[in-house]
Amino acid sequence: MNSDEAAELVFKILAGMPVEVFDDDDGSVWENEQWELVTPRREGDFAGSRAIGSANLVTALNLIHQKILIHRSESDITSSSDTSLSIFNVAMKQLQDTRLVRRKPNKIRETFKIIKTD
């Protein structure tokens, strides 16, 4: 799987209906607080929304991992998790560079510090 194929796969999943991960054991919800689509969705139940669900991110990473497992021999399986995460991160960077996804502006602003000078 090359980086363009990975980016295309990841974007298809992230641009779909945003779904969050629910933990039935403790009733918690995993929320994606970092990423959003640059352009709001144009149609469907989530038209106008830029949200990317936590389950969408997990699914995208999992599909990359499954595709790697299919094409690897048994001796390579132990390193496939690291490879999957690396490919996923490259795909996310590529999607940022092509302005399809971005870090949420409020998360970026949290990293700024205001320094007063006298």
Side-chain angles (χ1 to χ4, degrees):
M1 169 177 289
N2 66 41
S3 63
D4 290 336
E5 292 170 336
E8 185 178 334
L9 173 68
V10 169
F11 185 70
K12 282 181 185 178
I13 295 166
L14 300 185
M17 180 178 75
V19 179
E20 300 296 346
V21 174
F22 295 95
D23 186 336
D24 288 334
D25 293 335
D26 64 8
S28 65
V29 178
W30 298 1
E31 293 183 35
N32 165 32
E33 298 178 353
Q34 296 292 323
W35 298 99
E36 69 181 6
L37 301 173
V38 170
T39 306
R41 290 173 181 82
R42 294 182 186 172
E43 56 189 33
D45 292 341
F46 292 90
S49 169
R50 294 178 179 195
I52 296 173
S54 58
N56 299 75
L57 291 165
V58 171
T59 300
L61 175 58
N62 189 39
L63 278 176
I64 288 172
H65 184 71
Q66 293 302 319
K67 286 185 176 276
I68 288 170
L69 287 177
I70 289 168
H71 298 291
R72 292 227 171 167
S73 67
E74 290 225 9
S75 62
D76 293 335
I77 288 179
T78 56
S79 66
S80 63
S81 293
D82 293 337
T83 303
S84 303
L85 185 56
S86 175
I87 290 171
F88 176 79
N89 287 333
V90 167
M92 290 299 287
K93 175 74 171 109
Q94 187 172 337
L95 293 174
Q96 277 185 285
D97 292 346
T98 56
R99 303 218 12 94
L100 293 172
V101 300
R102 67 181 181 190
R103 292 211 179 264
K104 290 183 178 179
N106 60 327
K107 285 298 176 184
I108 293 171
R109 283 190 291 274
E110 287 178 3
T111 62
F112 289 110
K113 232 182 208 182
I114 297 175
I115 301 172
K116 284 187 170 183
T117 58
D118 294 327

